[in-house]
Amino acid sequence: MEVRKVWQSMLLAVSMSTAAVAAPPPGHAGNPVFPGWYADPEAAIFGDTYWIYPTTSKAYAAQTGFDAFSSPDLVHWTKHADVLDIKDIPWAKKALWAPSVVEKGAKYYFFFAANDIQNDHELGGIGVAVADKPDGPYRDLLGKPLIGAFHNGAQPIDQFVFRDDDGTWYMIYGGWKHANIVKLKADFTTVEPMADGTLFKEITPAPEYVEGPMMFKRDGKYYFMWSEGGWGGPDYSVAYAIGDSPMGPFKRLGKILQQDPKIATGAGHHSLFHVAKDDSWYIVYHRRPLGHTKANDRETSIDRMYFDKEGHILPVKITNEGVEANPLRR
């Protein structure tokens, strides 16, 4: 089923915030960008289309599938329901969350976490599914987790898949205040040793690190970003570091995304759009509407992200109006 976003009815029916928020200016998306409780958004550009793959924000037992959303311009969004369902993952039982989706060889690979395992004796962890189209349907690739155990203290969740300029694919992941990086085999069926023989290399950047890692490269530098604080509370936030390689070392430089008590709380677990044609950057993240305290009352929003002349990320201003249209098609 496809659902077109209608801002004013969505705001009244879904956000139900106690704060009065005006409709966005003409040509702006407005935040949240689509209706529903959705969190941990993965942002991807495939061809001339923006895609967002979020967690369906419900109790863990009810997190049993993923929807996706596509847009030609960041303003008009189409819902693609049930692109990956738990029935197509034989080893998963609950708690599907935090997608990471990449294109490779005319296929689309959907990395996800499942089951919220608490130790190595439980079945679950990070899985991967595959499809022929960005909107699926996706099917489990391995019949088991890609990573199903704790390494260096990192819970196997919140994976982000990153392709370096030399064609190497890495996955950065980890909860419980530990982050690992692994090198992925070219077919995404397993992990491979790095040059020093390490399979699971810890790159936890700071004691404040909690979860939600992601990485990108800009001007020859590697930017490592992550979430801090408790995901269910108002102080959830995003910080970053810069390094000379995917393995770091990384030193925390500060927060760039956090709550604004006049706009929303719990702003965190993000990803990014980078539009090459005009070098514009957008941060895609979830946040909690004012007046809401339930942990799963989370909505997906988009705001602009900027850099200073030294390449540092400037603090993001979270907004209700969101971003202007930016069509990818020339």
Side-chain angles (χ1 to χ4, degrees):
M1 177 179 68
E2 294 188 350
V3 179
R4 289 289 182 181
K5 190 190 83 168
V6 180
W7 167 260
Q8 288 176 309
S9 62
M10 176 200 73
L11 186 61
L12 291 172
V14 179
S15 291
M16 299 175 291
S17 174
T18 57
V21 180
H28 284 66
N31 282 324
V33 292
F34 42 73
W37 299 129
Y38 290 101
D40 314 331
E42 161 78 347
I45 294 175
F46 298 133
D48 58 6
T49 304
Y50 299 95
W51 288 85
I52 295 177
Y53 300 86
T55 298
T56 304
S57 189
K58 300 179 179 180
Y60 288 178
Q63 285 182 190
T64 57
F66 293 100
D67 300 328
F69 297 83
S70 64
S71 173
D73 59 6
L74 293 175
V75 171
H76 304 92
W77 290 91
T78 298
K79 179 179 178 179
H80 307 266
D82 301 319
V83 298
L84 175 59
D85 191 277
I86 203 165
K87 71 178 188 301
D88 297 311
I89 311 167
W91 53 272
K93 303 298 181 185
K94 64 175 183 177
L96 298 181
W97 71 52
S100 181
V101 184
V102 299
E103 180 183 9
K104 184 179 186 293
K107 297 283 187 182
Y108 297 86
Y109 293 87
F110 191 119
F111 295 79
F112 59 92
N115 296 353
D116 185 33
I117 64 171
Q118 304 295 299
N119 56 63
D120 290 345
H121 302 293
E122 298 181 35
L123 176 63
I126 296 169
V128 57
V130 63
D132 296 322
K133 302 182 299 177
D135 57 342
Y138 288 87
R139 297 290 182 267
D140 186 52
L141 179 66
L142 304 177
K144 62 181 182 180
L146 174 66
I147 299 177
F150 287 69
H151 299 276
N152 304 318
Q155 187 187 28
I157 63 168
D158 289 6
Q159 62 296 320
F160 178 79
V161 176
F162 166 72
R163 183 183 182 273
D164 206 351
D165 294 341
D166 65 0
T168 302
W169 289 90
Y170 294 100
M171 184 166 68
I172 302 95
Y173 76 92
W176 290 15
K177 295 184 174 291
H178 293 276
N180 289 335
I181 187 168
V182 297
K183 180 182 176 182
L184 293 171
K185 188 177 178 181
D187 60 5
F188 298 151
T189 59
T190 189
V191 301
E192 293 186 327
M194 299 184 195
D196 63 358
T198 304
L199 279 177
F200 298 89
K201 183 174 181 61
E202 183 165 11
I203 55 169
T204 305
E208 295 92 341
Y209 172 91
V210 174
E211 60 196 12
M214 75 152 296
M215 186 174 288
F216 67 96
K217 192 173 184 180
R218 181 179 184 270
D219 293 341
K221 297 291 186 179
Y222 294 84
Y223 289 71
F224 184 20
M225 307 178 78
W226 63 89
S227 290
E228 300 179 350
W231 69 269
D235 296 326
Y236 206 44
S237 56
V238 172
Y240 83 109
I242 300 176
D244 293 323
S245 84
M247 280 64 71
F250 294 104
K251 182 179 180 180
R252 183 182 185 276
L253 294 175
K255 290 184 181 183
I256 60 93
L257 180 75
Q258 57 189 316
Q259 68 171 327
D260 181 336
K262 297 180 180 179
I263 303 291
T265 66
H269 203 128
H270 75 298
S271 55
L272 302 174
F273 287 126
H274 176 223
V275 181
K277 66 182 176 71
D278 58 9
D279 195 30
S280 56
W281 293 79
Y282 301 88
I283 188 164
V284 187
Y285 62 99
H286 74 239
R287 67 194 200 187
R288 191 166 291 106
L290 295 180
H292 287 247
T293 58
K294 292 181 180 179
N296 284 309
D297 287 3
R298 297 175 291 176
E299 301 172 317
T300 293
S301 296
I302 304 176
D303 280 301
R304 289 295 303 268
M305 190 178 84
Y306 298 96
F307 300 82
D308 67 17
K309 62 182 180 180
E310 284 80 33
H312 297 131
I313 302 173
L314 297 173
V316 173
K317 176 178 173 54
I318 69 172
T319 70
N320 287 320
E321 59 267 27
V323 298
E324 294 182 278
N326 192 355
L328 290 169
R329 186 173 295 174
R330 295 180 183 274

